[in-house]
Amino acid sequence: MCGIVGYVGYRKAYPIIISGLKRLEYRGYDSAGVALYDGKIKIYKKKGKVSELEKLTKDKDTEGTIGMGHTRWATHGAPSDENSHPHVSNSGNFSIIHNGIIENYSTLKKELLGRGYTFNSATDTEVLVNFIEDIYENNEIDATEAVRIALNNVIGAYGIVVMCKAEPEKLIVARRSSPIAIGVGEGEFIIASDATPIVEHTKDVVYLNDNEIAVITKEGYKVLNLKNESQTPYIHTIEMELEALEKGGYDHFMLKEIFEQPRSIADSIRGRIDPENKKVWLGGLVDVRKELAQAKRFIFVACGTSWHAGLVGEYLFEEHIRIPVEVEYASEFRYRNPVIQEGDIVIAISQSGETADTLAAINLAKERGALVLGICNVVGSSISRATHAGVYTHAGPEIGVASTKAFTAQVSVLTMMALFIADLKGKLTPKSRSIIPEMLQVPEKVRHIVNQSDKIKEIAATFKDSPNCLYLGRGSNFPVALEGALKLKEISYIHAEGYPAAEMKHGPIALIDENMPVIFIATKDESYEKIVSNIEEVAARKGRVVAIVTEGDTAVRNIAEFVIEIPEIDPSLMPLLSVIPLQILSYHIAVMRNCNVDQPRNLAKSVTVE
Ligand code: M6R
């Protein structure tokens, strides 16, 4: 999705903005631009990567201690130089960068066209900047007031930064449903759409709330709401370390993040498990213990990989709490008039905490009276603030667009939640309780699996040119199959599907021939014998079987073309291990196909538009 970086201070803005835009590249984008003020406003923008923008500005004037930069992920209008941000109003007085979508832009555009305005781009953003100008020109008000009035009249989502030639010493920043963070340094401010460009300059950050406007000069800043009432900003201290945002010797962020999982899982469970007394303690849920103890149903809402984590959560909650669970795509839930009843608790799962559909699902569930909990990775994110209570995953920043360590951290948290709630309800069986100390073994077992990366690379070489791939699993390994398929398709562009293994004979078996790779997750659990039969069925049709098996397995080894052994663990913890070889396999295949692993085509790290 689009990225924003702004700077006001005493240093040259351009290099700070460019390095900030590079930190935001992970979000996915198709063009980039900057506006700089140094006596006059200079604008440079270009379709393509930030490096293209750098080439454009190589011999240009990039002076100025105030500026703003943007990476655009196309919504209205194709990726092009004209559609790139910043956009400038007709008189040249206002420039803007914008994340989000102005939904009533066509009505506003019609009005502005009627008043003689012209447009150079197909964007909603250019409409917004001219709308601001029109208000400014027709009233005796300052730029901030013009922005405030304009925002009171737009429908949609925005994170914006506005520069005004007539009031050049300030940046005007605002948000609704699209995050804006303001880094507060010594005599300088760095504005960004997430904290990653800020962390190398300062750890003090103000997150704007929805419908707030900040006016920032190098002397200071003030925050207003859309009613023009002054707001008291809260300064958060961010804990993110700079090293976490760098590749640290790995070729790609995705590989680094796969290898980080022993640590990220350990961080997600640290301090939350008491192995001796076999207890789980989740501080973020303490205030809602009564509601949890009385819960009658849980509804998970999420998208993508987080939705897959929710599906694993369904198995965990039903197994340990013996309570009904539904797992909903947030995008469907929000428009489906869902039935929410007394005793329903909605749990939103999101790595970024900014996914627009998940946020909308939360708001709907709240409107209908549900208690809404969050499982988020990004501290201070919109979802973590919109939910009544929740648990952070502590996976650390995830930069690769393909989610890896966030998934295992989410499943770790869901496991602890299931055990914590079962205990609150007095339903924790001795068998479930025995999982609590066993969780502490997960990081070491994951380490053992990532160390097999080279072996998995050999398997990847065999299948790198396959146009299709099928992933099959049973029980809680079924969502792992879905996740394996998603990983492969999003980074290697190979068509892949995940299925419950038993469903194969109801359709997908027709696809099996000597060219079809079929990845089975066939670890030891109560459906093991059944999945061995499914493997036989594929092998009988000459499908090329790769099987993830428990160490020491012999039955599958005799049938499969390749096996990847993973350590034994309680089946309820198995998704934390069985997903790892699938992540590694996808990674190697994508690299061998020369794909952009960290920034796959068309994808954004956090999907902040519908
Ligand atoms: O930040 P979120 O967890 O809310 O993001 C949800 C999905 O957009 C995300 O998981 C997406 O599917 C990833 N590309 C998967 O690797």
Coordinates of all heavy atoms in Angstrom, one line a residue, residues 98-152:
H98 N -1.1 11.4 -0.3 CA -2.4 10.8 0.3 C -2.3 9.3 0.2 O -2.0 8.7 -0.8 CB -3.5 11.3 -0.6 CG -4.8 10.6 -0.4 ND1 -5.7 10.4 -1.4 CD2 -5.4 10.1 0.7 CE1 -6.8 9.7 -0.9 NE2 -6.6 9.6 0.4
N99 N -2.6 8.6 1.3 CA -2.8 7.2 1.4 C -4.3 7.0 1.6 O -4.9 7.7 2.4 CB -2.1 6.5 2.6 CG -0.6 6.5 2.4 OD1 -0.1 6.9 1.4 ND2 0.0 5.9 3.4
G100 N -4.9 6.1 0.9 CA -6.4 5.8 1.2 C -7.2 6.1 -0.1 O -6.6 6.3 -1.2
I101 N -8.5 6.2 0.1 CA -9.4 6.4 -1.0 C -10.4 7.5 -0.6 O -11.1 7.3 0.4 CB -10.1 5.1 -1.4 CG1 -9.1 4.1 -2.0 CG2 -11.2 5.4 -2.4 CD1 -9.7 2.8 -2.4
I102 N -10.6 8.5 -1.5 CA -11.7 9.4 -1.3 C -12.9 8.9 -2.0 O -12.9 8.9 -3.3 CB -11.3 10.9 -1.8 CG1 -10.0 11.3 -1.1 CG2 -12.4 11.9 -1.5 CD1 -10.0 11.4 0.4
E103 N -13.9 8.4 -1.3 CA -15.0 7.7 -2.0 C -15.9 8.7 -2.7 O -16.5 8.3 -3.7 CB -15.8 6.9 -1.0 CG -15.0 5.7 -0.5 CD -15.6 5.0 0.7 OE1 -16.7 5.2 1.0 OE2 -14.9 4.1 1.3
N104 N -16.1 9.9 -2.3 CA -17.0 10.8 -3.0 C -16.2 11.7 -3.9 O -16.7 12.8 -4.2 CB -17.8 11.7 -2.0 CG -17.0 12.5 -1.0 OD1 -15.8 12.1 -0.8 ND2 -17.5 13.6 -0.5
Y105 N -15.1 11.2 -4.4 CA -14.3 12.1 -5.3 C -15.0 12.5 -6.6 O -14.8 13.6 -7.1 CB -12.9 11.5 -5.5 CG -12.8 10.5 -6.7 CD1 -12.3 10.9 -7.9 CD2 -13.4 9.2 -6.6 CE1 -12.2 10.1 -9.0 CE2 -13.3 8.4 -7.7 CZ -12.8 8.8 -8.9 OH -12.7 8.0 -10.0
S106 N -15.8 11.6 -7.1 CA -16.4 11.9 -8.4 C -17.4 13.0 -8.3 O -17.5 13.9 -9.1 CB -17.0 10.7 -9.1 OG -17.9 10.1 -8.3
T107 N -18.1 13.1 -7.2 CA -19.1 14.2 -6.9 C -18.3 15.5 -6.8 O -18.6 16.5 -7.4 CB -19.9 13.9 -5.6 OG1 -20.3 12.6 -5.6 CG2 -21.0 14.9 -5.5
L108 N -17.2 15.4 -6.0 CA -16.4 16.6 -5.8 C -15.8 17.1 -7.1 O -15.7 18.3 -7.4 CB -15.3 16.4 -4.7 CG -15.8 16.0 -3.3 CD1 -14.6 15.6 -2.4 CD2 -16.5 17.2 -2.7
K109 N -15.3 16.1 -7.9 CA -14.7 16.5 -9.1 C -15.6 17.2 -10.1 O -15.3 18.2 -10.7 CB -14.1 15.2 -9.8 CG -13.2 15.5 -11.0 CD -12.5 14.2 -11.4 CE -11.6 14.5 -12.5 NZ -10.8 13.3 -12.9
K110 N -16.9 16.7 -10.1 CA -17.9 17.3 -11.0 C -18.1 18.8 -10.6 O -18.1 19.7 -11.4 CB -19.2 16.5 -10.8 CG -19.8 16.2 -12.2 CD -21.1 15.4 -12.0 CE -20.9 13.9 -12.1 NZ -22.0 13.1 -11.6
E111 N -18.2 19.0 -9.3 CA -18.4 20.4 -8.8 C -17.2 21.2 -9.2 O -17.3 22.4 -9.6 CB -18.5 20.4 -7.2 CG -19.9 19.9 -6.8 CD -19.9 19.7 -5.3 OE1 -19.1 20.3 -4.6 OE2 -20.8 19.0 -4.8
L112 N -16.0 20.7 -9.0 CA -14.8 21.5 -9.2 C -14.6 21.8 -10.7 O -14.3 22.9 -11.2 CB -13.5 20.8 -8.7 CG -13.4 20.7 -7.2 CD1 -12.4 19.7 -6.7 CD2 -13.1 22.1 -6.6
L113 N -15.0 20.8 -11.6 CA -14.9 21.0 -13.0 C -15.9 22.1 -13.4 O -15.5 23.0 -14.2 CB -15.3 19.7 -13.8 CG -14.3 18.6 -13.8 CD1 -14.9 17.3 -14.3 CD2 -13.1 19.0 -14.7
G114 N -17.0 22.1 -12.7 CA -18.0 23.2 -13.0 C -17.5 24.6 -12.6 O -17.9 25.6 -13.2
R115 N -16.6 24.6 -11.7 CA -16.0 25.9 -11.3 C -14.7 26.2 -12.1 O -13.9 27.1 -11.7 CB -15.7 25.9 -9.8 CG -17.1 25.9 -9.0 CD -16.8 26.6 -7.7 NE -16.4 25.6 -6.6 CZ -17.3 24.8 -6.0 NH1 -18.5 24.8 -6.3 NH2 -16.8 24.0 -5.1
G116 N -14.4 25.4 -13.1 CA -13.3 25.7 -13.9 C -12.0 25.0 -13.6 O -10.9 25.3 -14.2
Y117 N -12.0 24.1 -12.6 CA -10.8 23.4 -12.3 C -10.4 22.4 -13.4 O -11.3 21.8 -14.0 CB -10.9 22.7 -10.9 CG -10.7 23.6 -9.8 CD1 -11.8 24.3 -9.3 CD2 -9.5 23.8 -9.2 CE1 -11.6 25.2 -8.2 CE2 -9.3 24.6 -8.1 CZ -10.4 25.4 -7.6 OH -10.2 26.2 -6.6
T118 N -9.2 22.1 -13.6 CA -8.7 21.1 -14.5 C -7.9 20.1 -13.8 O -7.3 20.4 -12.7 CB -7.9 21.7 -15.7 OG1 -6.8 22.4 -15.1 CG2 -8.7 22.7 -16.5
F119 N -7.8 18.9 -14.4 CA -7.1 17.8 -13.7 C -6.1 17.1 -14.6 O -6.4 16.9 -15.8 CB -8.1 16.8 -13.2 CG -9.0 17.3 -12.2 CD1 -10.2 18.0 -12.5 CD2 -8.7 17.3 -10.8 CE1 -11.0 18.5 -11.5 CE2 -9.5 17.9 -9.9 CZ -10.7 18.5 -10.2
N120 N -4.9 16.8 -14.1 CA -3.9 16.2 -14.9 C -3.8 14.7 -14.7 O -3.0 14.0 -15.3 CB -2.5 16.8 -14.5 CG -2.5 18.3 -14.8 OD1 -2.9 18.7 -15.9 ND2 -2.1 19.1 -13.9
S121 N -4.5 14.2 -13.7 CA -4.3 12.8 -13.4 C -5.7 12.2 -13.2 O -6.7 12.9 -13.2 CB -3.6 12.6 -12.0 OG -4.4 12.9 -10.9
A122 N -5.7 10.8 -13.0 CA -7.0 10.1 -12.8 C -7.3 9.9 -11.3 O -8.1 9.1 -11.0 CB -6.9 8.8 -13.6
T123 N -6.5 10.6 -10.5 CA -6.6 10.2 -9.1 C -7.7 11.0 -8.3 O -8.0 12.1 -8.6 CB -5.2 10.5 -8.4 OG1 -5.0 11.9 -8.4 CG2 -4.1 9.8 -9.1
D124 N -8.1 10.3 -7.2 CA -9.0 11.0 -6.2 C -8.2 12.1 -5.4 O -8.8 13.0 -5.0 CB -9.6 9.9 -5.3 CG -8.6 9.0 -4.7 OD1 -7.4 8.9 -5.2 OD2 -8.8 8.4 -3.7
T125 N -6.9 11.9 -5.3 CA -6.0 12.7 -4.5 C -6.0 14.1 -5.2 O -6.0 15.2 -4.4 CB -4.6 12.1 -4.4 OG1 -4.8 10.8 -3.9 CG2 -3.7 12.9 -3.5
E126 N -5.9 14.2 -6.5 CA -5.8 15.5 -7.1 C -7.1 16.3 -6.9 O -7.2 17.5 -6.9 CB -5.5 15.3 -8.6 CG -5.1 16.6 -9.3 CD -4.9 16.5 -10.8 OE1 -5.3 15.5 -11.4 OE2 -4.5 17.5 -11.4
V127 N -8.2 15.5 -6.8 CA -9.5 16.1 -6.5 C -9.5 16.8 -5.1 O -9.9 17.9 -4.9 CB -10.7 15.1 -6.6 CG1 -12.0 15.7 -6.2 CG2 -10.8 14.6 -8.1
L128 N -8.9 16.0 -4.2 CA -8.9 16.5 -2.8 C -8.1 17.8 -2.7 O -8.5 18.7 -2.0 CB -8.3 15.4 -1.9 CG -8.2 15.8 -0.4 CD1 -9.5 16.2 0.2 CD2 -7.6 14.6 0.4
V129 N -6.9 17.8 -3.3 CA -6.1 19.0 -3.2 C -6.7 20.2 -3.8 O -6.6 21.3 -3.3 CB -4.6 18.7 -3.7 CG1 -4.5 18.7 -5.2 CG2 -3.6 19.8 -3.2
N130 N -7.4 20.0 -4.9 CA -8.1 21.2 -5.5 C -9.4 21.6 -4.7 O -9.7 22.7 -4.6 CB -8.5 20.9 -6.9 CG -7.3 21.0 -7.8 OD1 -6.7 22.1 -7.9 ND2 -6.9 19.9 -8.5
F131 N -10.0 20.6 -4.0 CA -11.1 20.9 -3.1 C -10.6 21.8 -2.0 O -11.2 22.8 -1.6 CB -11.7 19.6 -2.6 CG -12.9 19.7 -1.8 CD1 -14.0 20.5 -2.2 CD2 -13.0 19.0 -0.6 CE1 -15.1 20.6 -1.4 CE2 -14.2 19.1 0.2 CZ -15.2 19.9 -0.2
I132 N -9.4 21.4 -1.4 CA -8.8 22.2 -0.4 C -8.6 23.7 -0.9 O -8.9 24.7 -0.2 CB -7.5 21.6 0.2 CG1 -7.9 20.3 0.9 CG2 -6.8 22.5 1.1 CD1 -6.6 19.4 1.2
E133 N -8.0 23.7 -2.1 CA -7.7 25.0 -2.6 C -9.0 25.9 -2.8 O -9.0 27.1 -2.5 CB -7.0 24.9 -4.0 CG -6.9 26.2 -4.7 CD -5.9 26.1 -5.9 OE1 -4.7 25.8 -5.6 OE2 -6.3 26.3 -7.0
D134 N -10.0 25.2 -3.3 CA -11.2 25.9 -3.6 C -11.8 26.5 -2.3 O -12.3 27.7 -2.3 CB -12.2 25.0 -4.2 CG -13.4 25.7 -4.8 OD1 -13.2 26.6 -5.6 OD2 -14.6 25.3 -4.4
I135 N -11.7 25.8 -1.2 CA -12.2 26.3 0.0 C -11.4 27.4 0.5 O -11.9 28.5 1.0 CB -12.3 25.1 1.1 CG1 -13.3 24.1 0.7 CG2 -12.5 25.6 2.5 CD1 -13.2 22.8 1.4
Y136 N -10.1 27.3 0.4 CA -9.1 28.3 0.8 C -9.3 29.6 0.0 O -9.4 30.7 0.6 CB -7.7 27.8 0.5 CG -6.6 28.7 0.9 CD1 -6.1 28.7 2.2 CD2 -5.9 29.5 0.0 CE1 -5.0 29.5 2.6 CE2 -4.8 30.3 0.3 CZ -4.4 30.3 1.6 OH -3.3 31.1 2.0
E137 N -9.5 29.5 -1.3 CA -9.7 30.7 -2.2 C -11.0 31.4 -1.9 O -11.1 32.6 -2.1 CB -9.7 30.3 -3.6 CG -8.4 29.7 -4.1 CD -7.2 30.8 -4.1 OE1 -7.5 32.0 -4.3 OE2 -6.1 30.4 -3.9
N138 N -12.0 30.7 -1.5 CA -13.3 31.3 -1.3 C -13.7 31.8 0.1 O -14.8 32.1 0.4 CB -14.4 30.4 -1.9 CG -14.3 30.3 -3.4 OD1 -14.4 31.3 -4.1 ND2 -14.0 29.1 -3.9
N139 N -12.7 31.6 1.0 CA -13.0 32.0 2.4 C -11.7 32.7 2.9 O -10.6 32.4 2.5 CB -13.2 30.8 3.3 CG -14.5 30.1 2.8 OD1 -15.6 30.4 3.1 ND2 -14.3 29.0 2.0
E140 N -11.9 33.6 3.8 CA -10.6 34.2 4.4 C -10.1 33.4 5.5 O -10.4 33.7 6.7 CB -11.0 35.6 4.8 CG -11.2 36.5 3.6 CD -11.2 37.9 3.8 OE1 -11.0 38.4 5.0 OE2 -11.3 38.7 2.9
I141 N -9.5 32.3 5.2 CA -9.0 31.3 6.3 C -7.6 30.9 6.0 O -7.1 31.1 4.8 CB -10.0 30.1 6.3 CG1 -10.1 29.5 4.9 CG2 -11.3 30.4 6.9 CD1 -10.9 28.2 4.8
D142 N -7.0 30.3 6.9 CA -5.6 29.8 6.7 C -5.7 28.4 6.1 O -6.8 27.8 6.0 CB -4.7 29.9 7.9 CG -5.2 28.9 9.1 OD1 -6.1 28.1 8.8 OD2 -4.6 29.0 10.1
A143 N -4.5 27.8 5.8 CA -4.4 26.5 5.1 C -5.0 25.4 6.0 O -5.7 24.5 5.5 CB -3.0 26.3 4.7
T144 N -4.7 25.5 7.3 CA -5.1 24.4 8.2 C -6.7 24.4 8.2 O -7.3 23.3 8.2 CB -4.6 24.6 9.6 OG1 -3.2 24.9 9.5 CG2 -4.9 23.5 10.5
E145 N -7.3 25.5 8.3 CA -8.7 25.6 8.3 C -9.3 25.1 7.0 O -10.3 24.4 7.0 CB -9.1 27.1 8.6 CG -10.6 27.3 8.8 CD -11.2 26.6 10.0 OE1 -10.5 25.8 10.7 OE2 -12.5 26.7 10.2
A146 N -8.7 25.4 5.9 CA -9.2 24.9 4.6 C -9.1 23.4 4.6 O -10.0 22.7 4.1 CB -8.3 25.5 3.5
V147 N -8.0 22.8 5.1 CA -7.9 21.3 5.1 C -9.0 20.8 6.0 O -9.7 19.8 5.7 CB -6.5 20.9 5.6 CG1 -6.4 19.4 5.9 CG2 -5.4 21.3 4.6
R148 N -9.2 21.4 7.2 CA -10.2 20.9 8.1 C -11.6 20.9 7.5 O -12.3 19.9 7.6 CB -10.2 21.8 9.4 CG -11.0 21.2 10.5 CD -11.0 22.1 11.7 NE -11.8 23.3 11.5 CZ -13.2 23.4 11.5 NH1 -13.8 22.3 11.9 NH2 -13.8 24.5 11.3
I149 N -11.9 22.0 6.9 CA -13.3 22.1 6.3 C -13.4 21.0 5.2 O -14.4 20.3 5.1 CB -13.5 23.5 5.7 CG1 -13.6 24.5 6.9 CG2 -14.9 23.5 4.9 CD1 -13.6 26.0 6.5
A150 N -12.3 20.9 4.4 CA -12.4 19.9 3.3 C -12.6 18.5 3.8 O -13.4 17.7 3.4 CB -11.1 20.0 2.5
L151 N -11.8 18.2 4.9 CA -11.9 16.8 5.4 C -13.3 16.5 6.1 O -13.7 15.4 6.1 CB -10.8 16.6 6.4 CG -9.4 16.6 5.8 CD1 -8.4 16.3 6.9 CD2 -9.3 15.6 4.7
N152 N -14.0 17.6 6.5 CA -15.3 17.4 7.0 C -16.3 17.1 5.9 O -17.4 16.7 6.2 CB -15.8 18.7 7.8 CG -15.4 18.7 9.2 OD1 -15.8 17.8 10.0 ND2 -14.6 19.6 9.7

